[in-house]
Amino acid sequence: MIRIENLIGGEFVSPTEFFDDISPLDGTVIATIPRTKNVEGAVTAAEKAQSQWSGLSLLQRCDWLDKIADSLESQIDELARLESLDTGKPHHVALNVDADRSVNNFRFFAEFGRNMKSETFEMPDATNYVMRKPIGIVGLISPWNLPLYLLSWKVAPALLMGNTIIAKPSEITPITAHFLGKVCTDIGLPDGVLNIVHGYGPEIGQAIVEHPKIKAISFTGGTATGKIVAATAAPMFKKLSLELGGKNASIIMEDADLEITVPGVLRASFLNSGQICLCGSRVLVHSSIYEDFMSKYLEQLQSFEIGPVINDSHRDKVMSYVQLAKQEGGHILAGGNIPDKPGSWIEPTVIGGLSHKSRTATEEIFGPVVTIHQFDSDDEAIQMANSTQYGLAGSVWSKNKGRVIAEKIDSGMVWVNTWLHRDLRVPFGGVKDSGVGREGGMWSVGFFSEAVNICVMED
Ligand code: NAD
């Protein structure tokens, strides 16, 4: 049994109340989590550490990021084991997706920081120097689907730019954030630079968003929670980055190369049991290749390994959409059942026969459930793809017109003939109800700093 504690000012401490962390694999209790309600101690610690941390040079902070990456990397199997334990995902996914990317987030921002150029703008009689000052204390709030992957995506650039941090991982998957805390204390990261508090979102999460000394909030989670975060933080003029939900389309054009398209679309449908905000949960297929695509897709689905979903209440939510799909006239083409074994399992489920405007095809399910729709023209594919409130990501599969179609999709990110192929320098984020702001490379640096201009008149 793992006992999770808060990391505040370099010490592991806890309030008196705890709650359980349950394994989605078999329903056993794997850890106890402190139910923190008050963020004052963490704010005081972060405030105390601020001048020392921001007083380091950018290059010194890059070295710290590399030290964190080195330490995580030297324990990468343990990191993957813990992530797999907490989320139920297969070990190879936890290792190759979560753990690998968590290390890389620190490595990437260390290297990115070393290569950052000073920004100047010349005038005939003056020079403008752009300084990037730290914001101060930043609040980082993350979800359960890619626990350390998404938290480290915020922690690394926030540290790079000289901020001190109060991080709150999801109460459903807190173990690897705790592991990161131990790594940082083991390598001697100055006390109070990274503080990690655990507990329920409406309690400690809300306390972070409300605290007047926390000047920026980077939030990744559901659209409904994002609205609450925005309603609290916006009137306080906090910097706000919101990475929210999605209902992404995988669009298979008539000239798609099915050799790469079928495995690619399957991966987009079911990786991490469909619990990635970027997953393609709507598959739009040109009617001329529908039969061929579907027979290959359903055949290859048989050998696609997935884990359980995150917990029983999420399983019930996902299954309620399978029921809704039937009421809306859908046919179950694969799956649709709860396997008879312990844990929060759902068979990978493919549903046909639904209108692309149905609730099942437009609301975020965030599980191993995909709806299939046919189209007859480019315009129809684009109109279907753009017919939800979300606009996070998407993929287009075509030999000749992928980019032309991709440019017409109202989403922050579109892949052509691939999916989840990530370059950490590029902008990441959504439009419409999928969020506000961008992260990645310069966009993260911009968010986690205040750009200040100094205009110097020539003699
Ligand atoms: P969630 O919104 O329930 O929780 C996210 C985090 O917010 C958790 O740490 C939670 O404790 C906290 N929280 C809850 N209420 C809060 C409040 N009032 N104030 C402050 N914090 C609060 O989301 P989830 O169920 O953990 O994650 C799944 C959702 O996240 C899906 O909608 C998915 O699409 C989205 N997501 C988006 C991205 C992206 O990059 N756009 C990435 C991953 C997941």
Side-chain angles (χ1 to χ4, degrees):
M1 171 84 74
I2 300 168
R3 185 182 160 93
I4 298 202
E5 292 190 294
N6 293 332
L7 173 60
I8 297 178
E11 304 280 326
F12 286 98
V13 290
S14 292
T16 47
E17 215 180 323
F18 282 78
F19 60 101
D20 291 338
D21 183 4
I22 310 280
S23 162
L25 283 171
D26 57 13
T28 55
V29 178
I30 50 178
T32 57
I33 309 165
R35 183 175 174 181
T36 318
K37 296 178 187 170
N38 187 320
V39 74
E40 277 311 327
V43 169
T44 306
E47 213 175 9
K48 223 168 128 192
Q50 184 61 51
S51 63
Q52 184 198 354
W53 186 248
S54 58
L56 296 182
S57 69
L58 186 72
L59 292 181
Q60 286 172 314
R61 292 196 297 267
C62 291
D63 290 345
W64 275 112
L65 295 188
D66 267 338
K67 279 188 208 167
I68 298 172
D70 291 344
S71 180
L72 285 174
E73 195 165 31
S74 70
Q75 305 172 73
I76 198 159
D77 282 322
E78 176 62 358
L79 177 57
R81 186 187 73 78
L82 293 173
E83 205 67 287
S84 171
L85 176 74
D86 214 2
T87 59
K89 65 185 77 185
H91 184 82
H92 68 92
V93 176
L95 183 66
N96 299 323
V97 179
D98 297 77
D100 180 70
R101 177 59 194 279
S102 301
V103 172
N104 272 330
N105 284 339
F106 288 101
R107 275 267 188 265
F108 167 77
F109 277 107
E111 208 41 39
F112 194 83
R114 290 190 184 101
N115 290 313
M116 261 161 57
K117 304 267 180 294
S118 56
E119 297 156 272
T120 56
F121 298 90
E122 299 287 348
M123 297 167 77
D125 53 356
T127 304
N128 293 281
Y129 298 91
V130 180
M131 281 181 72
R132 293 201 172 265
K133 290 190 176 174
I135 301 168
I137 309 175
V138 297
L140 313 181
I141 301 176
S142 55
W144 49 258
N145 62 324
L146 298 164
L148 192 60
Y149 172 136
L150 290 174
L151 186 62
S152 55
W153 179 235
K154 301 178 186 303
V155 170
L159 290 179
L160 176 70
M161 299 316 291
N163 304 287
T164 54
I165 293 173
I166 299 179
K168 194 211 95 61
S170 169
E171 61 273 37
I172 300 171
T173 53
I175 294 178
T176 49
H178 185 56
F179 185 80
L180 173 68
K182 285 204 271 185
V183 160
C184 290
T185 53
D186 287 350
I187 63 170
L189 186 76
D191 295 347
V193 169
L194 172 64
N195 304 280
I196 305 175
V197 288
H198 297 272
Y200 293 118
E203 294 179 350
I204 188 63
Q206 184 72 23
I208 291 171
V209 179
E210 281 173 5
H211 201 289
K213 288 190 174 168
I214 300 176
K215 297 292 180 197
I217 301 290
S218 175
F219 171 86
T220 301
T223 296
T225 318
K227 275 187 193 159
I228 299 171
V229 170
T232 310
M236 300 172 82
F237 304 114
K238 296 191 181 204
K239 276 188 107 171
L240 200 50
S241 167
L242 299 170
E243 299 287 349
L244 308 178
K247 186 77 178 179
N248 313 300
S250 304
I251 308 170
I252 299 135
M253 307 304 293
E254 66 277 23
D255 63 346
D257 174 356
L258 294 189
E259 284 288 305
I260 59 158
T261 300
V262 174
V265 172
L266 257 184
R267 200 168 149 262
S269 305
F270 295 110
L271 187 68
N272 211 39
S273 302
Q275 302 168 125
I276 300 181
C277 53
L278 307 168
C279 274
S281 51
R282 295 181 295 148
V283 176
L284 317 183
V285 195
H286 194 279
S287 52
S288 66
I289 55 161
Y290 180 79
E291 299 298 334
D292 195 12
F293 171 81
M294 283 310 292
S295 73
K296 293 184 168 119
Y297 180 80
L298 292 175
E299 192 204 316
Q300 290 185 28
L301 173 61
Q302 316 259 335
S303 51
F304 196 93
E305 187 198 1
I306 66 166
V309 298
I310 194 65
N311 57 24
D312 285 357
S313 79
H314 190 55
R315 179 193 61 198
D316 295 346
K317 179 198 148 190
V318 174
M319 285 306 293
S320 76
Y321 276 100
V322 176
Q323 293 314 318
L324 175 68
K326 290 178 189 161
Q327 289 159 18
E328 290 186 311
H331 329 295
I332 307 297
L333 303 174
N337 299 303
I338 297 177
D340 186 17
K341 58 178 172 179
S344 312
W345 296 83
I346 300 176
E347 292 171 353
T349 300
V350 180
I351 305 171
L354 285 171
S355 158
H356 69 280
K357 293 185 174 158
S358 63
R359 280 186 55 203
T360 314
T362 52
E363 296 179 12
E364 188 184 44
I365 301 174
F366 213 55
V369 175
V370 160
T371 60
I372 308 278
H373 310 272
Q374 294 185 54
F375 63 86
D376 292 311
S377 67
D378 294 4
D379 284 349
E380 196 185 1
I382 291 159
Q383 181 261 324
M384 280 172 135
N386 290 338
S387 65
T388 78
Q389 68 183 106
Y390 295 108
L392 189 57
S395 62
V396 183
W397 303 81
S398 165
K399 284 186 192 143
N400 297 310
K401 50 184 171 183
R403 195 167 154 193
V404 176
I405 303 291
E407 285 176 5
K408 298 197 170 122
I409 306 302
D410 297 336
S411 291
M413 298 160 274
V414 188
W415 284 280
V416 175
N417 297 326
T418 184
W419 176 76
L420 201 60
H421 193 54
R422 291 276 292 122
D423 180 329
L424 303 186
R425 293 170 300 181
V426 308
F428 181 102
V431 302
K432 303 198 279 188
D433 287 6
S434 291
V436 177
R438 295 289 180 272
E439 296 181 340
M442 236 9 245
W443 286 269
S444 294
V445 162
F447 179 76
F448 285 112
S449 62
E450 290 289 4
V452 172
N453 188 55
I454 315 246
C455 178
V456 179
M457 194 71 193
E458 308 293 328
D459 295 335

